[in-house]
Amino acid sequence: MSVHATNEDFSLAASLVRDAGALALRMRSEGLTATAKTTVSDVVTAADHAAEKLVVERIRELRPDDGIVGEEGASVTGTSGRSWVIDPVDGTYNFFAGSTYWCSAIALKADEPESLDGDPDVLLGAIFQPQEDRLWLGGEGHPATLNGDPVPPLEDASLDRLSAGTYLHPTWLLRPEVAGPWTAAASRAATIRMLGSGSCDLGGVASGRLGAWFQHSCPEWDWLPGKAIVRAAGGSTAVVEVNGFRWHIAGRASAVREIEGALIRA
């Protein structure tokens, strides 16, 4: 089944992330508590759940045939061959700590076929950073935009001339099968930025504030929204398995190739 994203889908995605982000920000201003999921830095709040509920209800109303996958547990099987992938608050630790570096993100993907590397085909992505008022949008047939304006085409450059966004939880530094490849790739960049929201990072890659990004073991909601936008900006993406871990890479074409090579050779 051939599926695609319509202009109305792009408009809907932009509206969904704006509304989800605004709801989360309002709830934070009224006071929130957080609950740890896996570690002290992996937390969830009532705002995460409320924002996801808002998005799910809107999609079920407006796109009843589409599937839904949400970070906080939403799961709907659709019949259209498309599914919405929801991250209601990406960077929840930052969000709860009062930082502005968090966002709401959504992607629309084709349920099948998958690409040769097993990564889903993504039709569109939308990322909204509420406190910075940054809305990235892009996908198939829709060049990447930031607040409605086209982002400049990404010019190729080698990794040693670029900043690289990444994330590695401190506990993984004790795991050589992960820390080794990560260090091999990170050491080749001009500088490293570890800011705590993959989707915000990927928006930064699309708009040129970061040159590249890489991270292991990304769930779909941390990867697909930004993947769609980076590709729509003329960037490159890759997924590679090293020591049993899948690494996700995005950025300027040469930098992506260098990161992939460094990970594999480590």
Side-chain angles (χ1 to χ4, degrees):
M1 180 188 299
S2 177
V3 297
H4 65 280
T6 66
N7 289 336
E8 290 76 17
D9 290 326
F10 281 93
S11 296
L12 175 59
S15 174
L16 290 172
V17 291
R18 277 198 178 277
D19 290 348
L23 173 61
L25 184 59
R26 184 170 69 251
M27 291 182 68
R28 188 180 76 175
S29 72
E30 295 169 353
L32 287 170
T33 58
T35 303
K37 291 198 288 188
T38 59
T39 68
V40 69
S41 61
D42 181 18
V43 297
V44 64
T45 72
D48 297 74
H49 292 292
E52 182 164 293
K53 181 173 183 289
L54 179 154
V55 173
V56 169
E57 288 178 350
R58 192 86 54 83
I59 292 172
R60 299 210 67 181
E61 174 189 357
L62 298 174
R63 300 291 188 274
D65 297 330
D66 290 348
I68 300 173
V69 180
E71 180 182 11
E72 306 310 333
S75 179
V76 175
T77 300
T79 59
S80 66
R82 316 185 317 170
S83 292
W84 297 84
V85 181
I86 307 164
D87 195 347
V89 178
D90 180 51
T92 302
Y93 188 83
N94 289 353
F95 168 76
F96 187 66
S99 168
T100 66
Y101 204 78
W102 62 276
C103 65
S104 292
I106 194 166
L108 180 61
K109 68 169 185 173
D111 293 335
E112 59 179 346
E114 293 185 340
S115 58
L116 293 177
D117 60 12
D119 207 34
D121 293 325
V122 60
L123 308 175
L124 70 78
I127 297 168
F128 179 52
Q129 198 175 348
Q131 291 176 270
E132 304 294 336
D133 192 28
R134 292 191 179 112
L135 173 61
W136 292 274
L137 190 64
E140 291 184 357
H142 191 293
T145 59
L146 174 57
N147 293 343
D149 296 323
V151 301
L154 293 177
E155 297 182 2
D156 201 19
S158 61
L159 186 58
D160 62 359
R161 298 179 63 82
L162 301 171
S163 61
T166 185
Y167 180 73
L168 189 71
H169 191 276
T171 56
W172 287 104
L173 292 170
L174 303 176
R175 300 276 299 273
E177 68 273 29
V178 171
W182 181 85
T183 301
S187 64
R188 286 165 169 74
T191 187
I192 288 292
R193 298 289 181 262
M194 196 179 298
L195 301 173
S197 168
S199 286
C200 287
D201 290 346
L202 287 163
V205 170
S207 50
R209 292 187 297 111
L210 290 171
W213 178 88
F214 66 101
Q215 186 174 322
H216 76 86
S217 307
C218 291
E220 289 184 333
W221 45 79
D222 284 341
W223 169 238
L224 293 183
K227 173 187 175 181
I229 297 167
V230 169
R231 293 183 70 87
S236 179
T237 64
V239 178
V240 60
E241 185 168 323
V242 179
N243 300 332
F245 294 89
R246 285 169 61 82
W247 290 85
H248 301 73
I249 315 164
R252 303 169 194 234
S254 293
V256 169
R257 290 193 298 269
E258 289 178 60
I259 291 169
E260 184 175 6
L263 292 169
I264 292 171
R265 291 192 297 271

